[in-house]
Amino acid sequence: MTDTGSPSVSALRAWPVWDLEVRLFHWLNVFCVLGLTALGTAILWDKELGVSPDGKVLLKTVHVWFGYGLAANLAWRLVWAFIGTPFARWRAFLPRLQGLGPYVGGFLRGEAPRYLGHNPLGRLMVTALLLVLSAQAVTGLVLAGTDIYYPPLGSRIAAWVAAPGIDPATLVPGDQSQVDPAAWKAMRAFRSPVVETHEILFFVLLGLAALHVAGVIIAEVREGGSLVSAMFTGRKTLDRPPVDGPGAD
Ligand code: HEM
């Protein structure tokens, strides 16, 4: 029989890599980001979509609940990076220049070294994604206070802007009849760079997410490794031993 150059079935071996926590984090994060993106898009283009003022407050409220989900999931993931299984830890995904040149060179020649965890380009992408998600969570949590008086800062913001004699707890999002105009103006000035950052990072995140999906598909097609199914099963199937496999530094 002629050798086709493709790996024989016996050369393929499944290796455990992503633990249950990493997989749960990943898919919950996808769910939250999709929900936040859809709701954020509607908030951003509310006038074009004909959303009423009350409708906008509702959109923001649901967006914030999804945001709490994203922030809690992300916070748990950052803790898991200290205590999880080896491929869940910081040292498995923070960028490393070592290995980047050989990986890119090998990739371009069609003979990239196999990685069980993230390859060097994947490390850059995962770090960028976690940074942008963290910044979205922090700015979003501030906006939850300035826009709808929700935790963690909502009660302080309400106390800041309530007109004299008005109980801050009775302020209604979107209704400016019970706020002190000067305090309201100062609060809006405080909020302005935060909402701008949140908006810019939204577009950055969309770009990164598209690149991330494209990168996974390209790596899977060119190198195999069952990257997509590994995020469900926790196991990667490789045609040769990985350079970062058990026992490697
Ligand atoms: C993947 C994460 C997120 C994405 C993609 C996202 C996206 C967006 C977008 C596109 C907007 C509209 C911005 C504008 O009108 O200028 C927005 C607004 C908002 N987001 Fe997020 N967001 C995320 C996370 C969060 C989180 C974690 C929270 C809070 C827990 C949050 C709270 C808010 C609030 C309160 C607004 C209303 C601000 C406004 O008046 O425009 N977001 N978000």
Side-chain angles (χ1 to χ4, degrees):
M1 201 165 56
T2 347
D3 181 4
T4 58
S6 57
S8 67
V9 172
S10 59
L12 295 174
R13 187 183 146 190
W15 305 70
V17 56
W18 309 129
D19 59 33
L20 182 63
E21 286 79 359
V22 167
R23 285 176 277 151
L24 275 177
F25 160 77
H26 181 270
W27 293 117
L28 270 173
N29 189 56
V30 170
F31 174 74
C32 291
V33 169
L34 288 177
L36 285 159
T37 300
L39 292 155
T41 304
I43 298 172
L44 200 51
W45 284 289
D46 59 328
K47 290 188 187 65
E48 292 78 355
L49 293 169
V51 178
S52 67
D54 281 351
K56 189 165 181 185
V57 171
L58 179 64
L59 283 174
K60 286 184 184 182
T61 307
V62 181
H63 184 83
V64 164
W65 279 108
F66 266 86
Y68 289 149
L70 178 128
N73 191 39
L74 186 60
W76 162 243
R77 179 65 186 92
L78 299 184
V79 171
W80 193 243
F82 288 104
I83 59 175
T85 54
F87 283 103
R89 295 201 176 207
W90 295 108
R91 69 192 300 264
F93 64 78
L94 286 180
R96 243 192 189 182
L97 288 183
Q98 185 199 7
L100 185 61
Y103 177 76
V104 174
F107 177 83
L108 294 175
R109 287 192 305 276
E111 52 195 46
R114 302 299 187 245
Y115 279 86
L116 185 49
H118 300 292
N119 67 44
L121 287 179
R123 281 174 180 260
L124 288 173
M125 174 53 78
V126 170
T127 304
L129 281 168
L130 288 175
L131 276 174
V132 173
L133 286 170
S134 302
Q136 279 302 71
V138 171
T139 51
L141 288 169
V142 173
L143 294 173
T146 59
D147 281 53
I148 54 171
Y149 309 124
Y150 265 43
L153 301 180
S155 50
R156 281 172 190 230
I157 304 278
W160 180 12
V161 299
I166 298 291
D167 176 3
T170 62
L171 289 188
V172 176
D175 174 7
Q176 286 174 45
S177 64
Q178 297 193 308
V179 302
D180 174 72
W184 179 256
K185 208 172 153 210
M187 188 276 276
R188 299 294 286 185
F190 159 77
R191 169 193 182 276
S192 173
V194 183
V195 77
E196 259 176 53
T197 308
H198 199 71
E199 192 180 319
I200 291 168
L201 289 179
F202 164 65
F203 291 107
V204 172
L205 185 64
L206 284 189
L208 285 178
L211 267 179
H212 167 62
V213 173
V216 167
I217 293 173
I218 292 169
E220 168 124 23
V221 168
R222 293 184 59 133
E223 297 160 28
S226 55
L227 298 191
V228 180
S229 59
M231 215 19 105
F232 291 99
T233 63
R235 297 164 79 79
K236 270 190 195 174
T237 307
L238 300 175
D239 56 359
R240 55 187 112 129
V243 289
D244 59 344
D249 176 33

